Each structure stands twice: as C-alpha cells, then as structure tokens.
Amino acid sequence: MKRIGFLSFGHWGPGEGSRTRTARDALLQGIELAVAAEELGVDGAFFRVHHFARQQASPFPLLAAVAARTSRIEMGTGVIDMRYENPLYMAEEAAATDLISGGRLQLGISRGSPEPARDGAAAFGHVPADGETAADMARRHTAVFRRAISGAGMAEAEPRYAGGGSGLLPVQPHSPGLGERIWWGAGSRATAVWTAEQGMNLMSSTLLTEDTGVPFDQLQAEQISMFRQAWADAGHQHQPRVSVSRSVLPIVDDEDRRFFGLSALREKRDQVGVIDGLVARFGRSYVGAPDAIAADLAADAAVQAADTLLLTVPNQLGVDFNAKLLGTVVRHIAPAIGWAPAARP
C-alpha cells in the first residue's frame, strides 16, 4: 500500500447532530479536512460528485482551493459523472486546477450512478445521440475530454483572430501529465478490462455490480488482476494505479462508541442487493478496535492488491472528528497494511 487518502461524500443538511449544516459548511470543511490530512501525512483528499443532491456538485472550485492551501497532498474526485459534462469546458477547468496544484490532481470519472433526478443530464443539455445509451454518451464525453487535456487541436482556427494561423486550436491552459492521472470508476470486471485498454487508472469502490458468490474482497481482487493483465496486454508505457475504497471507523473513545457502536455489531459481512437492475455485492464496513481493523484490512485481498486506499469518512461529523479518525488510521491501522508516510521534502 503506497498511498492512503480520504473520500468525502460531501453531505450537508440540518439534520440532528449534523456539524455540516449548509453547502458553505461542506465546502469550507472539505478544504480544512484536506489541510489537516496533509499535516497527518495522509496522501490524498478525494470528493464524491453528485448532482441535484445536497452533496458536492461542481468539484473544481473546491479542488482548486485545496490545491492553494496545501503543498503535498493529492486532490481528486470519486467520481465525476461524465454524462453531465461539457468535455472541453471540463478540460479547461481540470488543467487550470492541476496547474494551481503543481500536478497533484487525480480525477476519478465514470458513466454515473443512480441519482435523484430522473434524467438529470438532459436538464444540463446532454442527450444521447441516436442509437446511444447514456453510458455510451458518458464514454463519448470521456474520449473528447481526454483528447482535449492531451493538447490535441479541438477547434478550427479563425485566421483573422489567430495571427493568421490555421488548423486546429487546443483548449487552454494545458497541463502536461494530467492525462496519466485520469481514473475510471469501474463497477465490474469487464469494465476494469475496458479501463485498462483505454489507458486509465482503476478506481474501484465498495460496490461491484456483479456477484459470483465469492467474498467482496476476492471478487474485487480478481477485478484488479484482470485490469493489470489487460494493461500489460495493451502495452501502455506508464505504470497504472489502482485504488479501492473502504469504510473504516475505528472506535477509540466514548464519542466513537456512541456513533458507531451499533454498526460494529451489524456490519461484519458483505451485503448483496440490486442496483440498476443488476445483482450487486457491497463490501463490508470495518468498525471496531484499531488492532482488529488492522488485522482485517491486512487480510483483505483487494486492499493488498491495490496501491491506494480511500477511506470514506462521515463528513457530517465535522473536521475535528474526521481528523481524529484519520490520525487513528495513520498511527494504528495503516502500518499493518504496509503503508508509511511519504518523506517530506
């Protein structure tokens, strides 16, 4: 395990006990938690993106603010729904954010997930072409976005305003190297193989949209193995990265026990359900004493196969609580799965 980051779902609302009551709270606390995580030696600050919900919806202002307040930590998404995106505008925003960060941006993208809006992408002006599915449209947007961030020409020059030049103009700004830091959120083994063939890094969450009857970590480890084999077969020149997400909630004091004591009793195994009409397997949560969690994660086949672990944090409990949680992980859990803090310059 080379890197550990946190993944915030960015929830906000006035519910009982919430310390993140408004959208402003969620944004400012996301920045402050990234700053605190960097001080602890955590490697990444990632944010989930959802539209038409009380969560983070437009991640680039948040990521740019994190970039400006930090110097080492990676910042990224898990994941941006590409059905909604204008690929060229997204390429401009991504490049600008990456330049502010000094090349620390790690963008997780995907075809999207179930959402509150019935057809939210259409409300944004994005409708599949004839014969396309919404997933096809997301992949088409992705291909255009990736061409744009590569520096390829995207629009015909107007000689009167381009200094007499002709040909195709690239979007600006351009951030070299960003193209190797794009991740695809893959929910199945087949999608992981496609991700490798496309030359994107693999981001695998606590949900797989298939179930073969084996434990979640073993199915996810098989997904990672197939991704790496497909990457090798494709002959890409750079090394891929693989992340997995886990819900890790150590109990070290009465406050933790009050929030998570019941979860420790009931969330000890995978769950199987249906999502988008497909049988899906959901990974278990890791709740309890730090030494017990450390032993369980050390035995988790997918955690051992990945190079990056993203810890989903209960963001509505506020910055101080989540900084305490991350500190416990860094000191008492992460070393057991082979992680050590990066050397500081």
Side-chain angles (χ1 to χ4, degrees):
M1 181 59 58
K2 296 177 181 178
R3 295 176 177 88
I4 287 181
F6 73 80
L7 173 60
S8 171
F9 282 30
H11 293 292
W12 54 274
E16 182 179 355
S18 173
R19 299 168 188 171
T20 310
R21 305 181 71 83
T22 68
R24 174 179 166 83
D25 290 340
L27 289 163
L28 296 182
Q29 289 178 20
I31 298 166
E32 295 302 325
L33 183 57
V35 172
E38 181 172 80
E39 284 297 310
L40 290 166
V42 173
D43 303 296
F46 287 73
F47 300 90
R48 193 170 181 181
V49 180
H50 268 296
H51 300 285
F52 300 106
R54 289 181 173 180
Q55 292 178 256
Q56 309 293 359
S58 54
F60 291 105
L62 173 60
L63 297 174
V66 169
R69 289 282 307 278
T70 58
S71 61
R72 181 191 59 81
I73 198 169
E74 297 178 336
M75 70 286 307
T77 52
V79 290
I80 294 173
D81 186 337
M82 292 303 290
R83 294 175 298 179
Y84 281 82
E85 295 300 321
N86 176 316
L88 298 190
Y89 184 57
M90 180 178 168
E92 293 174 342
E93 288 191 310
T97 303
D98 195 44
L99 290 169
I100 292 170
S101 75
R104 292 181 283 139
L105 186 62
Q106 304 285 341
L107 277 184
I109 62 178
S110 83
R111 63 163 296 280
S113 59
E115 57 182 7
R118 179 170 295 170
D119 193 358
F124 275 55
H126 301 299
V127 178
D130 290 344
E132 262 192 339
T133 65
D136 293 335
M137 180 176 69
R139 294 187 181 199
R140 171 167 53 84
H141 286 180
T142 298
V144 175
F145 167 72
R146 294 182 69 207
R147 285 202 306 275
I149 62 173
S150 76
M154 304 302 295
E156 188 72 35
E158 169 50 68
R160 291 177 298 169
Y161 304 111
S166 61
L168 295 177
L169 299 175
V171 298
Q172 297 292 351
H174 172 62
S175 186
L178 177 58
E180 294 185 4
R181 287 178 272 115
I182 306 301
W183 307 60
W184 186 265
S188 69
R189 293 167 297 172
T191 307
V193 169
W194 176 84
T195 301
E197 292 169 348
Q198 302 305 307
M200 290 184 284
N201 301 304
L202 175 64
M203 185 173 280
S204 190
S205 73
T206 54
L207 163 70
L208 291 172
T209 54
E210 57 184 341
D211 178 40
T212 64
V214 303
F216 178 85
D217 68 311
Q218 293 180 25
L219 181 59
Q220 194 172 46
E222 183 180 348
Q223 180 196 39
I224 294 169
S225 176
M226 292 174 68
F227 167 81
R228 290 210 166 105
Q229 183 60 57
W231 186 281
D233 292 344
H236 301 302
Q237 296 303 302
H238 64 285
Q239 291 298 310
R241 287 181 60 182
V242 175
S243 75
V244 296
S245 300
R246 293 292 183 268
S247 178
V248 174
L249 302 167
I251 296 177
V252 298
D253 56 27
D254 289 341
E255 181 183 39
D256 300 335
R257 200 166 292 109
R258 184 169 71 254
F259 287 129
F260 306 124
L262 291 177
S263 297
L265 297 176
R266 68 172 181 260
E267 297 184 11
K268 290 292 189 182
R269 59 181 181 272
D270 300 344
Q271 299 176 48
V272 177
V274 176
I275 186 168
D276 273 357
L278 299 171
V279 176
R281 181 168 285 267
F282 303 80
R284 55 165 289 195
S285 296
Y286 291 82
V287 189
D291 58 344
I293 293 176
D296 286 346
L297 286 176
D300 185 308
V303 169
Q304 294 304 312
D307 58 74
T308 300
L309 173 63
L310 299 183
L311 306 168
T312 61
V313 295
N315 76 280
Q316 281 192 273
L317 294 181
V319 175
D320 290 344
F321 181 90
N322 282 294
K324 181 188 74 171
L325 183 157
L326 293 173
T328 299
V329 170
V330 164
R331 290 188 296 272
H332 303 296
I333 297 175
I337 57 173
W339 177 86
R344 300 201 177 200

